[in-house]
Amino acid sequence: MKLYCLSGHPTLPCNVLKFKSTTIMLDCGLDTTSALYFLPLPLVHSSRLSKLPGWASKDGTVNLEKELKECAGRVFVDSQPEFCLPERELLDLSTVDVILISNYHCMMALPYITEHTGFSGTVYATEPTFQIGRLLMEELVTFMERVPKAQSATCWKNKEIQRMLPGPLKDAVDVWSWKRCYSMQEVNSALSKVQLVGYSQKVELFGAVQVTPLSSGYSLGSSNWIIQSHYEKVSYVSGSSLLTTHPQPMDQSSLKNSDVLILTGLTQIPTANPDGMLGEFCSNLAMTIRAGGNVLVPCYSSGVIYDLLECLYQFMDSANLGTTPFYFISPVANSSLEFSQIFAEWLCQNKQSKVYLPEPPFPHAELIQTNKLKHYPSIHGEFSSEFRQPCVVFTGHPSLRFGDVVHFMELWGKSSLNTIIFTEPDFSYLDALAPYQPLAMKCVYCPIDTRLNFHQVSKLLKEVQPLHVVCPEQYTQPPPAQSHRSDLMLELQPPPMAYRRCSVLGLPFRRRYERIQLQPELAKALVPSEIKPGISVATVSAVLQSKDNKHVLQPVPKPTPVPPSKKRKRLMEEVPELLSPKPLLSGSIPLDAFLASLHKSGITEVKVEETADGHILHLQAEDALIQLEEDATHIVCDNNEPLRTALRDLVLRFLQKL
Amino acid sequence: MPDIKVTPLGAGQDVGRSCILVSVGGKNIMLDCGMHMGYNDDRRFPDFSYITQNGRLTDFLDCVIISHFHLDHCGALPYMSEMVGYDGPIYMTHPTKAICPILLEDFRKITVDKKGETNFFTSQMIKDCMKKVVPLNLHQTVQVDDELEIKAYYAGHVLGAAMVLIKVGSESVVYTGDYNMTPDRHLGAAWIDKCRPDILISESTYATTIRDSKRCRERDFLKKVHETIERGGKVLIPVFALGRAQELCILLETFWERMNLKAPIYFSTGLTEKANHYYKLFITWTNQKIRKTFVQRNMFEFKHIKAFDRSYADNPGPMVVFATPGMLHAGQSLQIFKKWAGNEKNMVIMPGYCVQGTVGHKILNGQKKLEMEGRATLEVKLQVEYMSFSAHADAKGIMQLIRMAEPRNMLLVHGEAKKMEFLKDKIEQEFSISCYMPANGETTTVTTNPSVPVDISLNLLKREMALGGPLPDPKKPRTMHGTLIMKDSSLRLVSPEQALKELGLSEHQLRFTCRVHLQDPHSDSDTLSRIYSHLKSVLKGYAVQHLPDGTVMVESIVLKVSSSGEDPNLKVILLSWSYQDEELGSFLSSLLKKGLPSGL
């Protein structure tokens, strides 16, 4: 059993598990942090961005003015942003049988994997994961295709040149494997391979392995996966949360008794408390609005935004924000808001019971109805005529490199009245802001990451007690910026097996048993005998049938009697069937009882001779010899087959057969 | 021999008060708990005293499963759980859980508030009953306890309708509830995987019908409505608030839009708005088309269909009214019917099945004079049309489901005895499986033959599979030998060697030695060679070896030749074998006794 680790990003994992005869990919996250090395894609022509100076090395040997631009001392690639894909060389991806998706953030690389690699398997995901994942992909594609950039910069990737670039560009790894965004056609093709599953649904893979998604409590439809056979159990934990937000609570008890637990997707901000951040978010928002400024919230179109809207719904009136317009701008804003209301089965109890009334589970329906929240596909069109300030805008992409957010950065960046509040934890806010410097607008960092923190995870692991834990190497040491915080790492006994990008781990498994079915006719014909108190044995002779990795034992068919033919007259010539071994024997033969039974069968003249290891019995009338020892019996008997078989059966009566 | 028992308390050779008891693997499950529309007395509810005479049912049932929200499937639930007494889990899907209490409350109101019955369940009882409900998701495997698991499949009958697979060990039963094998305007088609249950319990409402295509029926329906409207008549469509009503609303809504019609369409009950809301929130349970387009256009937001007020019934001019309940047995639909029945310009369209005893059933049978409460009679002049829109599988659909699930036995409920008989024959002929149709209170017992799961040591299995070769030979099946160790409740199959080792036993060697005398005028070594050639020719397929140390080996049996001192031609062949080679050893000794063939 092996684990191939194709991603080094602990919250955007991509691992391949070889388990029994199956090859299972666990998630395929797309690392979009690589976009931070690129210049933002403005929706409207930005004179500021177009006037940025090109970059050339100080000594003038390298001149990449066309590809690289300098802004506030940092160098950015002027090209369509590219993403860092999971490793595609470590193993042949066409051999992957299935891909299990844990949540919609962890499937963004799907089109890169399912298209152009020869992949011909099935992708399993829950319905909300599938639907919202589709929306996020659609949004990403729209962001990119809306502002096509003819230029594709590649010179800077040249190893010799990259070495001479200033940091952090110099230190970017694997830049040649970075890829531009996929097309909608590729997204559709990838998603056509998805098969929907529900929580606790047992899915059989080739009869060898059973996979089951479990609620992970992190987002709508998010799941952890159990991969098991009758004897081995692997738990894959990815992006889980124990906080009560909108999704169904995490199913912890089903993770018990795992041989191996693969742990990914812990919180990226272990020091921030999500509840505290939510409070800070609200107060900063209210303060800015009160001062007449605008608030920009760069965010994904699904997930925490539902909680933010719910929080604002409760907070709005008390904070006198009743008349402030809230805008949600995304090509998929409407769909995301609508979809959130139809997944009652996947929501927490509290929200589920609302649907029974029947009322929409999320209060943003009311915000929309009362015109407090408005959503638009983009800044163009309707929005531009209805836009009022001061206002609050939720829009993507949180990297600030593409999407409508770029426009608001250009628009509001110059005024210190405005505030940008970062809530998504995926990007360093300083890096995100770098190409907009110098900036007058206020920046507030309130990362809300509801995923498990180290305290919660160690409690969880104590509870479910896996034999072995596998995790990204980042979790085995404190974060680099807080190297003294030994509480911000996993400390386990035995220590977790750590992986990094391109690791191949052998998982500590010893498979010893497999499930087999005895057909009822066979089971009925078995003759058990008690060997020790409470332990019985029975010899089984049967025909093995294996189909689709399922094994069945059938009774041995009775040989069809051969019609007597002239050639077969001499019965003695019938050669005994090859390879039908007798059972093994065990036990010993008590002398007195054996002599008694000899006597019973008419053998009376027995001379017993004691030897070092036992006895020798001379059957004088019959001229035969039986040597009895603790663990062996030897019958010497010439030319008298009936006698020999009689003695054999007599001996067998005292022995156990296995 | 283990067996499965099925006893219908209701819906046995009948439609109404569905309630079926199943005993499988020591677990007792109640499937549905419905009421009968045709009765107003004790017979309204299933006879729970069949389960126990003294009171509460909790100890006798492991769980209750409700297939969908129609009252003939859940109408007795609060009575059963709160008045008879049951505290165990009740399983139903989310939409059923949402809608069921509303219909129950409606039912209660009609019975208690309007008809003035006492000794009926109360609103509080409905609430308490619903607290015992555990929601089920499609395809989720729910572990009721360590042994009993259930799994729901999409049934397509009404919003949230489900079929369920009940499994204990390797024994299983599927109960379909009501289902529909063809997708309609708002729901998808029923689906189940090849789960090969021991028994498939299927409804058989339309056991003998093979219905024409849905499109034809829809066109017919629209034509009739249109004609009546054109001549200024009124159309009454008695429906249940949820289910067919929505399908017909979608149908009329699109027709009105296309034809630009102006006649008003009303929906009679306050429930509708709410009902449509349920459809919006549970859109994942509707058909693919509606699900795909719901963000752009929600099919359950109707422009032409407005709420009905009682006074509208007397308005002049054409109109279409959807009114509840669907079988004209009470409530608003019956009131409107009474008002309109006397005018031959009007029309009533019955879009679903009506049970015996209801007004709906009577007029469908052509009755022209109805006795009403008091001594009044009502003359029926308006046109009566029947359109089968109720979403039940027809004979073709039932056969299709059997093909999908491949059951070992079939059991029919929820249908009329005569029609069942016909379908039963057809099923037994086509699938060669037994088909049962027990009456209420009658128990059907089906013997199952479960195989026994055993843990086989991987070493043994791998060795066996390697020896078996890549392709099994059907003519010469390989026999595998192993030892089954039974300890506590575990069953493990291991190789005999491993069994000895594990049980701490030592092997007992049993050997045989046999001397065979043979007249053979050759030297000892020549005799040995002759024996070798002889055995080689007789024992084809065996490993026969002539070893340099002056012995011949057949498999693991050793043969040696010596001659006695007195007569050099009298050879003594010494054969020695272990018990494991008993057959071969015995065969060899007999063979050699007969001497060597002269041809050698």
Side-chain angles (χ1 to χ4, degrees), chain B residues 313-570:
Chain B
D314 298 322
N315 285 358
M319 67 173 86
V320 179
V321 176
F322 288 95
T324 55
M327 300 187 192
L328 285 178
H329 55 279
Q332 199 147 33
S333 64
L334 187 59
Q335 279 172 18
I336 300 172
F337 175 78
K338 284 185 200 162
K339 276 195 177 152
W340 295 359
N343 191 337
E344 61 273 10
K345 268 208 295 194
N346 297 340
M347 179 183 279
V348 61
I349 300 181
M350 308 296 301
Y353 185 89
C354 291
V355 301
Q356 218 152 23
T358 59
V359 172
H361 189 263
K362 286 174 192 159
I363 58 167
L364 279 181
N365 278 339
Q367 210 168 315
K368 289 291 172 200
K369 278 196 177 135
L370 297 174
E371 280 167 42
M372 290 287 130
E373 285 132 63
R375 245 174 257 140
T377 55
L378 180 68
E379 226 171 307
V380 182
K381 286 192 183 150
L382 89 175
Q383 297 181 49
V384 178
E385 292 288 342
Y386 173 70
M387 292 257 152
S388 151
F389 272 96
S390 54
H392 293 280
D394 61 3
K396 218 166 88 192
I398 296 171
M399 303 303 257
Q400 207 181 330
L401 188 79
I402 299 177
R403 236 164 271 136
M404 262 183 176
E406 290 189 0
R408 294 190 183 90
N409 295 279
M410 190 71 196
L411 192 144
L412 301 178
V413 294
H414 200 283
E416 291 159 35
K418 253 192 229 154
K419 295 182 182 175
M420 280 185 180
E421 205 80 64
F422 174 82
L423 184 65
K424 170 179 147 73
D425 288 346
K426 220 175 128 181
I427 290 170
E428 288 182 336
Q429 256 173 38
E430 191 167 334
F431 298 102
S432 336
I433 54 174
S434 310
C435 182
Y436 306 89
M437 38 174 285
N440 287 335
E442 190 187 323
T443 301
T444 296
T445 306
V446 170
T447 306
T448 57
N449 211 356
S451 53
V452 182
V454 158
D455 302 342
I456 185 170
S457 109
L458 208 58
N459 289 336
L460 179 62
L461 182 69
K462 280 196 170 155
R463 188 177 77 187
E464 209 51 40
M465 289 182 49
L467 287 173
L471 283 170
D473 180 359
K475 278 187 219 144
K476 246 187 150 184
R478 249 187 69 77
T479 308
M480 163 181 150
H481 295 268
T483 303
L484 189 65
I485 305 178
M486 289 163 263
K487 189 179 164 190
D488 302 324
S489 61
S490 83
L491 294 173
R492 288 177 308 122
L493 185 61
V494 299
S495 64
E497 294 81 7
Q498 194 185 337
L500 277 180
K501 214 161 112 193
E502 264 186 47
L503 296 169
L505 302 174
S506 50
E507 191 187 344
H508 189 105
Q509 294 281 350
L510 176 58
R511 286 196 73 79
F512 303 96
T513 299
C514 197
R515 274 167 301 192
V516 177
H517 297 263
L518 201 67
Q519 280 293 338
D520 197 40
H522 295 275
S523 71
D524 290 1
S525 62
D526 281 355
T527 304
L528 194 70
S529 305
R530 284 158 54 76
I531 289 173
Y532 171 70
S533 318
H534 181 43
L535 294 181
K536 192 86 184 161
S537 71
V538 173
L539 294 170
K540 295 214 167 67
Y542 282 78
V544 184
Q545 288 165 285
H546 191 165
L547 298 177
D549 66 344
T551 56
V552 167
M553 287 267 286
V554 180
E555 296 291 321
S556 60
I557 301 175
V558 185
L559 285 95
K560 275 184 197 158
V561 173
S562 59
S563 44
S564 67
E566 303 113 50
D567 181 357
N569 288 347
L570 182 66

Side-chain angles (χ1 to χ4, degrees), chain A residues 80-145:
Chain A
Q80 186 165 34
E82 295 179 338
F83 305 130
C84 177
L85 314 195
E87 185 59 44
R88 293 188 296 173
E89 305 298 323
L90 194 60
L91 85 164
D92 180 1
L93 292 177
S94 70
T95 62
V96 172
D97 297 311
V98 295
I99 303 178
L100 308 181
I101 303 294
S102 57
N103 62 67
Y104 46 75
H105 287 302
C106 291
M107 65 186 281
M108 297 300 278
L110 203 56
Y112 295 116
I113 303 290
T114 60
E115 312 305 300
H116 321 301
T117 61
F119 172 81
S120 62
T122 310
V123 182
Y124 289 97
T126 63
E127 183 164 8
T129 298
F130 168 78
Q131 297 289 10
I132 296 173
R134 172 194 286 280
L135 295 182
L136 294 184
M137 289 181 180
E138 208 178 296
E139 183 185 53
L140 195 62
V141 172
T142 315
F143 282 159
M144 294 297 169
E145 290 181 351

Side-chain angles (χ1 to χ4, degrees), chain A residues 231 345 532 576 633-634 648, chain B residues 285 455 503 509 513 542 582:
Chain A
Y231 306 93
E345 284 102 319
K532 291 177 178 176
T633 302
H634 193 171
R648 176 194 71 193
Chain B
W285 286 79
D455 302 342
L503 296 169
Q509 294 281 350
T513 299
Y542 282 78
E582 168 68 6

Side-chain angles (χ1 to χ4, degrees), chain A residues 298-317:
Chain A
C299 62
Y300 292 114
S301 297
S302 180
V304 175
I305 183 165
Y306 303 143
D307 299 316
L308 293 179
L309 290 174
E310 178 150 11
C311 179
L312 287 172
Y313 169 83
Q314 288 155 0
F315 172 77
M316 219 176 245
D317 292 323

